């Protein structure tokens, strides 16, 4: 390891970036009886999907946005499984790179903006000026809302990548001192690492949920 950030290096020997295939590793870990109908794994996925649908119905009109809900639920599971795979040793964390998160957020944002400005132009103009804004402040509010709208894909991508990087860096920093610690402190370090792993698992779920909910909110504005 040349530096702390080398654990996020996508290149391996001979400069091949085969580590990006880690996004597909989860397909190899799905048990065979998941595809049985019914099965406990499939039942768990159905429960999670129903919960997400109930959450998204409050933000989107189900009749007009049924395809958006299906897409956003698939996006949630994809980000969640990629975050979860990054917790395994020697597996590349693809969601910690802006190439991964920015590609998803930028694609969603461009498609929503194109649909909104082409189909619902009046609605998009309304969102630029909040209700009750004084006439004197309207030009400034249009500028501020336009800037906040433009930086949305960047904030989505940075939020996901930064949270995944922070936890992995903290675990790497703590584990790097293990060789020089006494036995008592080594036990304490292992306990803290175990707690950090539990925290990172919760962060993996929360970040996938936050990314999906914010994408849903942005989609509701264009619709």
């Amino acid at each position: 390891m040349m530096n702390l950030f080398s654990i996020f290096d996508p290149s391996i020997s001979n400069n091949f970036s085969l580590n990006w295939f880690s996004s597909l590793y989860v397909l190899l870990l799905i048990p065979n009886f998941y595809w049985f109908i019914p099965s406990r794994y499939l039942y768990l996925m159905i429960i999670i999907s129903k919960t997400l649908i109930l959450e998204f119905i409050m933000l989107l009109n189900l009749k007009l946005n049924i395809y958006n809900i299906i897409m956003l639920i698939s996006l949630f599971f994809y980000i969640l499984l990629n975050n979860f795979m990054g917790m395994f040793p020697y597996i590349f964390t693809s969601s910690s790179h802006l190439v991964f998160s920015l590609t998803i957020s930028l694609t969603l944002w461009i498609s929503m903006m194109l649909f909104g400005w082409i189909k619902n132009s009046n609605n998009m103009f309304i969102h630029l000026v909040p209700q009750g804004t004084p006439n004197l402040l309207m030009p400034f509010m249009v500028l501020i809302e336009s800037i906040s709208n433009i930086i949305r894909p960047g904030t989505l991508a940075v939020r996901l990548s930064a949270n995944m990087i922070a936890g992995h860096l903290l675990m790497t920093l703590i584990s790097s001192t293990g060789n020089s610690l006494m036995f008592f402190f080594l036990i304490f370090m292992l306990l803290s690492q175990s707690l950090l792993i539990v925290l990172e698992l919760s962060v993996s779920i929360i970040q996938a949920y936050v990314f999906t909910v914010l994408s849903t909110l942005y989609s509701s504005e264009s619709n």
Side-chain angles (χ1 to χ4, degrees):
M1 183 183 297
M2 300 300 295
N3 54 63
L4 287 175
F5 289 93
S6 62
I7 60 175
F8 303 105
D9 188 5
S11 299
I12 54 176
S13 60
N14 300 324
N15 294 322
F16 288 115
S17 299
L18 296 179
N19 280 331
W20 288 107
F21 282 107
S22 63
S23 299
L24 304 177
Y25 284 171
V26 66
L27 299 177
L28 303 177
L29 299 180
I30 296 178
N32 292 330
F33 57 86
Y34 169 79
W35 306 104
F36 295 163
I37 299 177
S39 68
R40 292 183 178 180
Y41 284 97
L42 184 59
Y43 185 66
L44 177 62
M45 297 286 283
I46 292 174
I47 292 176
I48 297 174
S49 300
K50 285 184 177 180
T51 305
L52 292 175
I53 289 175
L54 292 176
E55 291 285 335
F56 296 157
I57 283 176
M58 297 185 295
L59 303 174
L60 297 174
N61 186 351
L62 183 60
K63 293 182 180 179
L64 297 178
N65 297 290
I66 183 64
Y67 298 109
N68 286 348
I69 291 179
I70 295 174
M71 177 192 68
L72 291 168
I73 291 176
S74 303
L75 179 64
F76 169 81
F77 282 114
Y78 180 67
I79 296 176
L80 173 63
L81 294 175
N82 274 279
N83 293 344
F84 181 71
M85 290 301 296
M87 300 301 300
F88 288 92
Y90 304 107
I91 293 183
F92 174 69
T93 309
S94 57
S95 57
S96 64
H97 282 256
L98 285 176
V99 174
F100 175 88
S101 55
L102 191 59
T103 300
I104 298 176
S105 61
L106 197 59
T107 304
L108 287 174
W109 180 79
I110 291 175
S111 59
M112 292 173 188
M113 288 299 102
L114 287 176
F115 178 83
W117 285 107
I118 294 173
K119 295 292 185 179
N120 301 315
S121 301
N122 293 332
N123 188 33
M124 298 299 291
F125 279 115
I126 289 172
H127 282 291
L128 294 178
V129 182
Q131 187 176 5
T133 303
N135 294 333
L136 184 62
L137 296 179
M138 282 185 179
F140 299 101
M141 291 305 299
V142 171
L143 179 61
I144 293 172
E145 290 295 326
S146 300
I147 294 175
S148 65
N149 198 359
I150 292 173
I151 65 174
R152 279 177 179 177
T155 55
L156 272 178
V158 170
R159 182 185 292 108
L160 175 61
S161 299
N163 280 280
M164 297 307 298
I165 288 175
H168 284 69
L169 280 181
L170 184 58
M171 288 191 292
T172 304
L173 282 171
I174 295 176
S175 61
S176 62
T177 60
N179 296 330
S180 59
L181 292 179
M182 299 173 58
F183 180 76
F184 174 78
F185 294 105
L186 184 62
I187 298 297
F188 180 76
M189 186 201 72
L190 292 176
L191 291 176
S192 62
Q193 286 282 68
S194 301
L195 293 176
L196 278 176
I197 290 175
V198 176
L199 178 63
E200 277 297 291
L201 289 175
S202 62
V203 168
S204 300
I205 300 173
I206 292 171
Q207 289 305 313
Y209 178 76
V210 169
F211 192 99
T212 311
V213 168
L214 289 178
S215 300
T216 307
L217 290 173
Y218 300 158
S219 176
S220 63
E221 291 185 4
S222 61
N223 292 329

